[in-house]
Amino acid sequence: MRGGGVGRRAARRAGRRWRNPAAALLLIGFIGGLAGGLAAQTPPAAADETAQGGAPAHVPPLAAANLRLARRDVAAPEARQGEALGARQDKASASAASVVAARALAPGQGAPAPGAMPARVWTLAAALRRALGQSQRLKAAGAEAQAAKAGIGAARSGLWPRLGVAEGVTRGDDPVYVFGALLRQHSFGAANFNLPSLNRPGALTDWQSSARASVSLWDGGKTRAAIRGAKAGYRAAGAARRQTREQVLAATVAAYYGLREAEANWRTAQRAVQAAEQSQHDAQARYRAGMAVEADELSADVYANRARQARAEAGGALAMARARLNRRLGRPLAAPLALAAAAASNGTAPLPATLAAWQAAARRRRPDLARARAQTAAARAKEGEARAAWWPQASAFASVERDQSGFTGAGGSDWMAGVQVRWSVFGGGARRAAQAQARAGTEAAQAQARSLSRAAAVAVQGAWYRWQTARRLRALSRANARRAAAALAMLRRRYRAGLAPLRSVLDAETDWTRARAEEAQAEYGWQMSRAEGLANLGELNFAHAAALAANGVSGGMAAGGAAANGAASGPAAWTVER
């Protein structure tokens, strides 16, 4: 037994020093053979001990060492069973702790607390509708559009006549006032020509009722220019509102699919932990059976802890993704929610097939370009208003008036009508400065429109290439995920058969986890590239945004559906999705 103990201790030391399983096994064989040779040269007392509990003399040295280790294990079944039971308890405790930690780090996971309300299942259409209804930015943009629309009516009012009425009462003894009031009341008599009464008349009350109408006949085109400017301002406000609406839709789509990606990553991390724990169990079993070195067990422990760390990070990312979507929906940040599974739909989000078609559609439909064009038209209208100040203005008016000494009673009525022409000959240079200011505003608006048009062309081209790239990455990531799962299953079978080292299995598990994460990221990128393409084309309306959820959602992203916020599905043992 001394040789077997030496061989086993040497094997453990070799396992600690050597990370390469093949080199460790060679060293074990060498040390085992040396120990067997020393055991064959033991004195008679030791030979009797060997005859009682050792190996027969005809057994080769390495096999004799292994046989002695096996007999030692059989001689202490209770100790071996206790060790195995303790290992199973440790593994069960670690699994329970990992499940508790996973549920704590992934908010909304697991069974709901007693009395808690179940999480509402949100479709993309419902999320978009809720986000549009509670968006304060969209409400502000709508109010600005209404104000701009009212400005059109204010500008058009310059084409309509002005009509006003007035009622007043005056009392005094001013000679001129008394003389005129008597004339307007048609009560002037011969006695009022008396000089003392003309110079010092008595106090007189005059109740006056009047109505006046006027209309502009010509204002140099100022009113027409103001109407054009108001209409252009309304178009700019409408385009700004449509742009804000598209931004709200795009942000909600990003938050929705960001949560879906976070859920897929958390499920992948949970399955990675299960796979790592299975590898940990396999390494422990092989080490205790003498088929692997202790380094395999330690490597599996380290890998399992790293997988748990990755799951903790995925749980935090899931909580943040849920908070971002709740913010878009106007709900408490920690409120539970669940995403509905993607359903088949006949609706499609249209995207042109060529880059030239994208550029043409963007020039027609992009709200920022439409807003820039409207702002340029409004600046030109301001310039027309400034030019109109150089022209004369003509207007017509008519008025009727009734004067009487009391609120009721006899009195006199008269009317007046006429045409008036006004022309400002010199205004101190104000008109010239206003015209120069308006011209500079037009040039600035035109320059901004040209710059925005070039920037939009670059943005559309970038969105086009990202859409094309996302399509390819999506297909490649799916294929990579399938191949990584197949490779992992193959290597695990070979490891259990003793034909592959543990490091290859752990590397395959890492590749599979990365492939699953890349698949979720590629799916998110694919959906966002479509939303970005629609936004760059100016076509991201509610119907097209809602149709994104029903086109091209992969099984990895849609897995679980409304149950995506529940506990991770799948057996406790390691599984690979094919």
Side-chain angles (χ1 to χ4, degrees):
M1 288 300 294
R2 190 179 304 134
V6 172
R8 186 164 186 173
R9 286 194 296 272
R12 289 182 179 177
R13 287 195 295 271
R16 294 190 187 98
R17 294 176 181 174
W18 295 89
R19 290 292 181 181
N20 189 338
L25 290 175
L26 290 175
L27 183 59
I28 291 171
F30 173 79
I31 295 175
L34 181 60
L38 293 176
Q41 300 176 4
T42 55
D48 293 339
E49 180 183 353
T50 304
Q52 294 177 3
H58 63 275
V59 178
L62 180 58
N66 292 335
L67 182 57
R68 284 194 295 272
L69 292 177
R71 286 179 177 177
R72 181 181 176 184
D73 294 339
V74 173
E78 296 178 356
R80 179 63 62 185
Q81 291 175 1
E83 183 181 1
L85 178 60
R88 286 195 297 270
Q89 290 176 350
D90 293 341
K91 183 177 182 297
S93 299
S95 300
S98 63
V99 171
V100 172
R103 291 181 178 179
L105 290 171
Q109 308 298 325
M117 295 297 293
R120 175 180 174 182
V121 178
W122 289 86
T123 62
L124 179 57
L128 293 172
R129 192 176 296 108
R130 173 69 176 265
L132 291 175
Q134 67 85 38
S135 174
Q136 301 302 316
R137 291 179 54 205
L138 191 57
K139 291 179 181 178
E144 292 177 357
Q146 291 298 322
K149 184 177 181 180
I152 298 178
R156 283 176 174 170
S157 65
L159 300 176
W160 293 87
R162 298 290 189 270
L163 177 64
V165 296
E167 178 72 26
V169 59
T170 307
R171 181 175 175 80
D173 61 354
D174 180 78
V176 176
Y177 159 72
V178 173
F179 187 85
L182 289 173
L183 291 175
R184 290 192 299 273
Q185 293 177 4
H186 297 182
S187 60
F188 195 88
N192 298 116
F193 282 104
N194 188 8
L195 290 179
S197 62
L198 285 175
N199 291 326
R200 295 184 179 276
L204 180 67
T205 300
D206 182 31
W207 287 84
Q208 187 180 64
S209 302
S210 63
R212 180 181 176 85
S214 63
V215 62
S216 175
L217 302 178
W218 169 252
D219 59 0
K222 182 178 181 180
T223 301
R224 298 291 181 182
I227 294 174
R228 291 195 303 272
K231 289 182 177 180
Y234 178 61
R235 291 196 302 272
R241 182 177 183 274
R242 189 159 64 91
Q243 184 178 6
T244 302
R245 184 181 177 88
E246 288 189 356
Q247 290 172 352
V248 172
L249 291 173
T252 305
V253 169
Y256 189 89
Y257 280 106
L259 178 55
R260 194 179 288 280
E261 180 192 16
E263 288 177 345
N265 288 336
W266 191 88
R267 289 193 297 272
T268 299
Q270 177 68 6
R271 291 168 182 149
V273 170
Q274 295 173 359
E277 290 175 348
Q278 184 62 42
S279 297
Q280 188 179 21
H281 173 74
D282 292 345
Q284 290 173 355
R286 289 176 60 82
Y287 170 66
R288 292 192 180 102
M291 302 174 63
V293 296
E294 189 179 6
D296 284 359
E297 182 181 10
L298 297 177
S299 297
D301 292 342
V302 172
Y303 185 83
N305 288 332
R306 288 177 178 171
R308 295 185 185 101
Q309 289 177 341
R311 183 179 60 185
E313 294 175 356
L318 176 58
M320 289 304 302
R322 185 178 293 110
R324 282 190 287 270
L325 181 56
N326 277 328
R327 174 180 174 268
R328 292 292 172 186
L329 301 180
R331 305 171 74 235
L333 298 183
L337 57 84
L339 302 185
S345 173
N346 294 328
T348 58
L351 286 174
T354 63
L355 178 58
W358 276 49
Q359 297 284 10
R363 285 191 293 270
R364 292 192 308 269
R365 294 287 300 166
R366 277 181 68 107
D368 53 349
L369 297 182
R371 183 181 183 184
R373 290 191 293 266
Q375 289 174 342
T376 302
R380 290 197 183 100
K382 288 289 185 182
E383 191 175 359
E385 290 185 55
R387 285 195 302 267
W390 292 93
W391 294 91
Q393 298 180 1
S395 61
F397 66 92
S399 64
V400 60
E401 182 178 320
R402 179 174 177 80
D403 296 83
Q404 53 198 29
S405 59
F407 186 74
T408 60
S413 300
D414 55 76
W415 62 272
M416 183 170 53
V419 176
Q420 186 180 30
V421 177
R422 294 180 301 167
W423 196 348
S424 177
V425 179
F426 179 71
R431 291 177 296 180
R432 191 178 301 277
Q435 189 173 3
Q437 183 181 13
R439 187 182 301 110
T442 301
E443 293 175 356
Q446 291 173 343
Q448 291 176 358
R450 288 191 296 268
S451 175
L452 185 60
S453 178
R454 295 191 184 99
V458 175
V460 170
Q461 187 169 356
W464 158 265
Y465 285 118
R466 282 189 291 273
W467 177 55
Q468 295 291 331
T469 303
R471 289 170 54 185
R472 299 185 181 96
L473 290 180
R474 182 167 176 253
L476 291 174
S477 65
R478 288 181 175 181
N480 287 341
R482 290 192 298 269
R483 290 184 175 90
L488 179 55
M490 182 184 302
L491 284 171
R492 178 161 293 282
R493 290 192 297 269
R494 291 177 61 84
Y495 174 71
R496 288 173 176 170
L499 301 176
L502 178 64
R503 175 53 56 189
S504 298
V505 177
L506 299 183
D507 290 343
E509 290 180 2
T510 301
D511 293 340
W512 174 78
T513 303
R514 185 184 299 113
R516 290 285 296 173
E518 290 174 351
E519 182 184 14
Q521 184 179 6
E523 184 64 35
Y524 173 78
W526 158 248
Q527 297 292 353
M528 290 312 302
S529 69
R530 299 169 68 207
E532 182 187 9
L534 290 171
N536 276 277
L537 297 181
E539 297 285 351
L540 188 59
N541 52 32
F542 178 84
H544 293 163
L548 292 173
N551 293 276
V553 179
S554 71
M557 288 285 286
N565 279 287
S569 59
W574 176 86
T575 57
V576 176
E577 294 183 0
R578 293 184 179 272

